Amino acid sequence: MHNVNVGILGCGYWGPKLARNFARHPHASLVAVADVIGDRAERIGAEFRTPLVTQDPDRVLLNPAVDLVVVATPVWTHYDLASRAIRAGKHVLVMKPLATRTDRAEELCAMARAQGVLLAVDHTFIFTGAIQKMKELVDADELGELYYFDSVRINLGLFQHDVNVLWDLAPHDVSIMDHLIGELPDEVTAVGMCHGGSPTENIAYLTVRYGSSFLGHVHVNWLAPAKIRRTIVGGSRKMLVYDDMEPSEKIRVYDKGVSFLSDTTDPAEAQYKPLVSYRSGDMWVPQIEMQEALAVEVDNVIAAINGRESLMVDGHDGTRVVRILEAAEQSIRSSGAPVALQKPAPKLKAVSGMS
């Protein structure tokens, strides 16, 4: 495999974690870090002995030694920095969400394809052993027909100054739902509210409707007294609970369900006399890989650049999440009115990397 030279823009919360994983990868070299707050970049540069430490992003974007640019900056800067990196012929990894508008996310995908570079999106949870196991169970039809996805992601803080709680927390759950379902939604509704003088919504409820009978619901909140990270996926055959706060048993699969019957063969009477048959079987805990998600993601990005495998989360995946979030934002501004989603163009085959 070719060695990939990496430049990181943004050394706040997530940038150092990515720097650590890229610096430790056997086929990557951290060659540049940049942050408008110089002290941040200097700390990362000193820790990983990075050759270039700067406050000027152009010294990374236009650096001929850099193969991959990692954009770990505030959300409102993602489009500008990613587009400039792509125009400079760099592969790009952008933190979630990819952009704040669907048209800009689509533009980034088109630009990357035209330039022959890879566009990856950091939907971190997709790379966890728990979500990979959930995807495996869904694809194997262990749950049967999927009925619903219900998630709660709440805690006290951290308030963001550039985005509301929807754009901060919901990308995690929306990306998980999108990854599991593999189906394009038809309609989004959402409500949100500002409290305590906050200029942005600090609590929101998002509902996604699909053409099938599947229904997705996401609750995000910065004002909760306890930290909860829990998702329930219900199917016709089995149901599962994913609790990210559990140290080991993060997924539990329940052999439970219901069947709707009738005590009459007369169709006219059947609708008035439904009977519910409950099924309650065993609960089991599948074993999952506990490798750090960012290490898995970094390995996938490096392998994709080298043409060894496809990106697990590319720009098209990121665009679908942005499309749902943008529709949810529009619904909130319209007092919870439903917003129909325009179907995107078919996903094109990803380009290969350096091979």
Side-chain angles (χ1 to χ4, degrees), residues 108-335:
L108 289 175
C109 292
M111 289 174 58
R113 183 162 187 83
Q115 288 284 354
V117 297
L118 296 180
L119 174 61
V121 184
D122 177 44
H123 290 165
T124 312
F125 282 91
I126 304 304
F127 299 91
T128 63
I131 302 305
Q132 291 181 17
K133 176 58 69 174
M134 289 168 66
K135 178 65 171 174
E136 179 184 319
L137 293 171
V138 169
D139 289 348
D141 201 31
E142 284 286 333
L143 307 186
E145 179 188 356
L146 296 182
Y147 288 162
Y148 64 87
F149 175 100
D150 197 332
S151 71
V152 178
R153 186 173 299 272
I154 63 177
N155 59 273
L156 192 60
L158 298 165
F159 280 72
Q160 304 296 321
H161 67 278
D162 58 332
V163 293
N164 61 16
V165 69
L166 182 75
W167 287 92
D168 178 42
L169 296 183
H172 294 306
D173 302 286
V174 172
S175 65
I176 293 171
M177 180 172 63
D178 176 76
H179 183 66
L180 295 179
I181 304 312
E183 182 182 342
L184 298 174
D186 291 342
E187 181 183 271
V188 175
T189 58
V191 292
M193 192 63 65
C194 308
H195 300 91
S198 172
T200 60
E201 286 80 10
N202 42 48
I203 179 172
Y205 297 87
L206 162 68
T207 301
V208 183
R209 301 177 186 274
Y210 291 76
S212 62
S213 60
F214 183 80
L215 185 68
H217 185 260
V218 176
H219 170 205
V220 288
N221 189 349
W222 281 333
L223 293 175
K227 186 174 182 178
I228 299 175
R229 301 282 187 268
R230 185 178 299 122
T231 298
I232 302 175
V233 181
S236 60
R237 187 174 300 120
K238 296 178 184 177
M239 304 177 183
L240 68 79
V241 176
Y242 162 50
D243 190 340
D244 192 48
M245 301 304 294
E246 283 286 338
S248 57
E249 297 183 355
K250 291 184 178 295
I251 298 177
R252 298 186 179 189
V253 182
Y254 295 84
D255 186 9
K256 293 186 177 183
V258 296
S259 298
F260 294 92
L261 310 172
S262 175
D263 64 350
T264 177
T265 57
D266 184 349
E269 296 183 10
Q271 60 180 318
Y272 299 107
K273 298 181 179 181
L275 296 177
V276 179
S277 173
Y278 294 92
R279 185 188 72 259
S280 183
D282 294 334
M283 183 278 291
W284 62 284
V285 178
Q287 185 172 356
I288 61 176
E289 295 289 336
M290 299 303 290
Q291 187 177 0
E292 183 183 2
L294 281 182
V296 177
E297 178 179 19
V298 164
D299 192 61
N300 173 245
V301 171
I302 297 300
I305 290 175
N306 277 283
R308 297 293 186 91
E309 56 188 63
S310 299
L311 288 172
M312 289 178 62
V313 182
D314 64 12
H316 297 279
D317 301 312
T319 299
R320 290 197 303 274
V321 171
V322 171
R323 179 176 282 106
I324 292 174
L325 295 175
E326 186 178 34
E329 182 84 20
Q330 182 180 343
S331 180
I332 289 175
R333 301 290 168 252
S334 303
S335 301

